[in-house]
Amino acid sequence: QVQLVESGGGLVQAGGSLRLSCAASGRTFSSRARGWFRQAPGKAREFVAAINWSGGNTYYADSVKGRFTISRDNAKNLVSLQMNSLKPEDTAVYYCAADSRAMRVVVPVTEEEYEYWGQGTQVTVSS
């Protein structure tokens, strides 16, 4: 059974930092891009960041560019999201995902391009 499990969410003050991790089990995703999405209350899920299968290419939503950093450790089947300078508008449930295709050239940024999803972890940023 394939599982993606997020961890590291919590409550933090504005300006603070959190590091989210997503551990995969049941199969290896070393040849697939990994992504992070988020969903705030009353809003649609949105793209946050993605990293290609080798880790050599990343892409960020404009709203988090310069503040968030995505990384991966293929040996551990792990992807992480370092979030700095957090703002109240970053409050959301954060989901990790794994690409539906292997070794994609262009980093996927839409939900439809991802096949596997975690259950989400809550991030709350207080003002």
Side-chain angles (χ1 to χ4, degrees):
Q1 180 182 1
V2 177
Q3 278 191 313
L4 299 180
V5 180
E6 302 96 337
S7 61
L11 173 64
V12 64
Q13 288 189 329
S17 298
L18 282 174
R19 185 177 181 86
L20 305 183
S21 294
C22 177
S25 62
R27 64 166 295 163
T28 179
F29 290 106
S30 59
S31 64
R32 300 196 181 205
R34 305 289 296 277
W36 287 94
F37 290 75
R38 67 186 182 187
Q39 186 168 22
K43 295 187 177 181
R45 189 156 56 183
E46 64 176 3
F47 170 79
V48 175
I51 187 167
N52 77 327
W53 63 275
S54 69
N57 191 19
T58 58
Y59 192 80
Y60 298 92
D62 288 343
S63 59
V64 306
K65 201 172 297 182
R67 299 187 297 122
F68 290 11
T69 302
I70 188 171
S71 61
R72 67 187 296 158
D73 184 338
N74 283 343
K76 296 181 179 179
N77 219 7
L78 189 73
V79 64
S80 300
L81 184 68
Q82 178 65 43
M83 307 186 294
N84 298 329
S85 302
L86 283 162
K87 305 175 182 179
E89 51 264 44
D90 293 319
T91 295
V93 177
Y94 283 71
Y95 300 89
C96 72
D99 196 352
S100 61
R101 290 168 50 187
M103 302 179 74
R104 197 190 294 261
V105 174
V106 179
V107 176
V109 299
T110 67
E111 291 185 55
E112 292 72 24
E113 295 175 289
Y114 289 86
E115 180 176 358
Y116 300 97
W117 293 84
Q119 82 290 346
T121 185
Q122 176 70 47
V123 171
T124 303
V125 184
S126 63
S127 57

